[in-house]
């Protein structure tokens, strides 16, 4: 946590105007302090990394993200294991990586700029003596951005991240389980969420600084100004074939389903989708495999 405090006081004292207009490219060194779920098997700690992306004016930004755990260790004292004792468990280092993408929406044009961001990607967790496992994660964050000198902005945010994981199987060694009197059968895959607080320094690598709105910004604002009248409601039937990796125990399958959602003007749309596999040799009978998301 002290690293975030140092970063905050280092950059926040030079408040100015740094928002850029038009197409712009950004680089953002970033740090998050994570409060892990009790069943994540991890001590609270830091993720360090950064984001690189581009913005369409001042409102919408798309960014690639990468974070890596800093000095993370295993922790099972609050997991809920019966007869747990520190003497029966040895904490060990954990390697954690997250990489994915993020869409960030800014609200307003002032020096103090609120924002929300939606992110998803792949998370890899492992320890030195065990193979790492990978999961899909999804995150929602909200915060504010302060423009500071020239092409620099400082942001602070809160974030909630969700993923599915079996920490007992993947983070406890055979000796740990033997000492605790447990086996892999005693652990299950959990739906885990964790809160974090983050801070980043956003550097604008290009884009024109100007108080006037660009054509892109004006089009975005106009698309939102009509209220519900500007929303377009959509239904999208779809069919496609999904080819699974050879390392997965699934056959390649034809999928049928669709999406339902809204379009917020011509640039932004939100969708929920559901696909179900079709049995081999049929066109109407469904199999026990489904994919859903947004």
């Amino acid at each position: 946590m002290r690293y975030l405090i140092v970063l905050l006081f280092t950059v926040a004292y030079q408040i100015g105007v740094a928002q850029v207009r038009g197409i712009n490219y950004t680089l953002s060194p970033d740090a998050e302090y994570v409060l892990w779920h009790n069943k994540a098997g991890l001590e609270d700690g830091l993720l360090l990394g950064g984001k690189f992306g581009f913005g369409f004016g001042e409102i919408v930004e798309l960014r690639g993200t990468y974070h890596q755990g800093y000095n993370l260790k295993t922790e099972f004292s609050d997991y809920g294991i019966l007869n747990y004792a520190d003497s029966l468990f040895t904490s060990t280092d954990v390697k954690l990586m997250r990489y994915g993408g993020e869409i960030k929406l800014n609200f307003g044009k002032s020096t103090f700029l609120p924002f929300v961001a939606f992110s998803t990607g792949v998370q890899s967790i492992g320890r030195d003596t065990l193979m790492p496992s990978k999961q899909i994660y999804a995150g929602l964050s909200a915060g504010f951005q302060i423009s500071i000198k020239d092409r620099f902005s400082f942001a602070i945010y809160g974030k909630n991240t969700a993923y599915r994981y079996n920490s007992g199987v993947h983070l406890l060694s055979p000796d740990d389980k033997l000492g605790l009197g447990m086996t892999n059968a005693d652990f299950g895959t959990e739906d885990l969420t964790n809160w974090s607080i983050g801070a980043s320094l956003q550097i604008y690598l290009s884009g024109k600084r100007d108080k006037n709105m660009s054509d892109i910004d004006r089009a975005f604002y106009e698309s939102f100004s009509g209220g519900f009248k500007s929303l377009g409601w959509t239904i999208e039937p779809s069919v496609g074939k999904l080819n699974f990796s050879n390392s997965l125990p699934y056959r390649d399958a034809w999928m049928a389903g669709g999406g339902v959602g809204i379009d917020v003007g011509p640039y932004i749309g939100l969708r929920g989708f559901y696909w179900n596999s079709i049995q081999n040799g049929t066109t109407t009978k469904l199999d026990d495999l489904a994919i859903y998301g947004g």
Side-chain angles (χ1 to χ4, degrees), residues 234-238 257-261 271-275:
T234 66
I235 299 177
E236 299 175 345
S238 56
V260 177
R271 298 285 188 277
F273 69 87
Y274 180 89
W275 279 20

Side-chain angles (χ1 to χ4, degrees), residues 11-12 14-28 55 57-59 61 104 106 108-113 145-155 200-212 217:
V11 302
Q14 298 184 50
I15 294 179
V17 177
Q19 281 297 99
V20 296
R21 63 199 285 268
I23 299 295
N24 57 81
Y25 298 90
T26 60
L27 177 66
S28 304
E58 300 179 16
I59 303 172
E61 299 178 42
K104 177 170 172 268
N106 302 313
K109 289 165 55 61
S110 63
T111 300
F112 182 87
L113 190 70
Q145 182 173 309
I146 302 174
S147 295
I148 56 177
K149 194 171 183 179
D150 237 1
R151 292 180 178 270
F152 298 89
S153 292
F154 174 76
S200 66
L201 178 65
Q202 185 156 315
I203 305 168
Y204 292 90
L205 304 178
S206 68
K208 183 180 179 182
R209 250 186 80 190
D210 200 305
K211 294 182 179 180
N212 298 321
D217 294 321

Side-chain angles (χ1 to χ4, degrees), residues 175-212:
D175 290 339
D176 291 331
K177 294 167 193 170
L178 182 63
L180 294 170
M182 305 189 76
T183 66
N184 284 345
D186 296 314
F187 300 95
T189 300
E190 306 279 352
D191 293 323
L192 304 177
T193 60
N194 58 260
W195 289 97
S196 59
I197 181 171
S200 66
L201 178 65
Q202 185 156 315
I203 305 168
Y204 292 90
L205 304 178
S206 68
K208 183 180 179 182
R209 250 186 80 190
D210 200 305
K211 294 182 179 180
N212 298 321

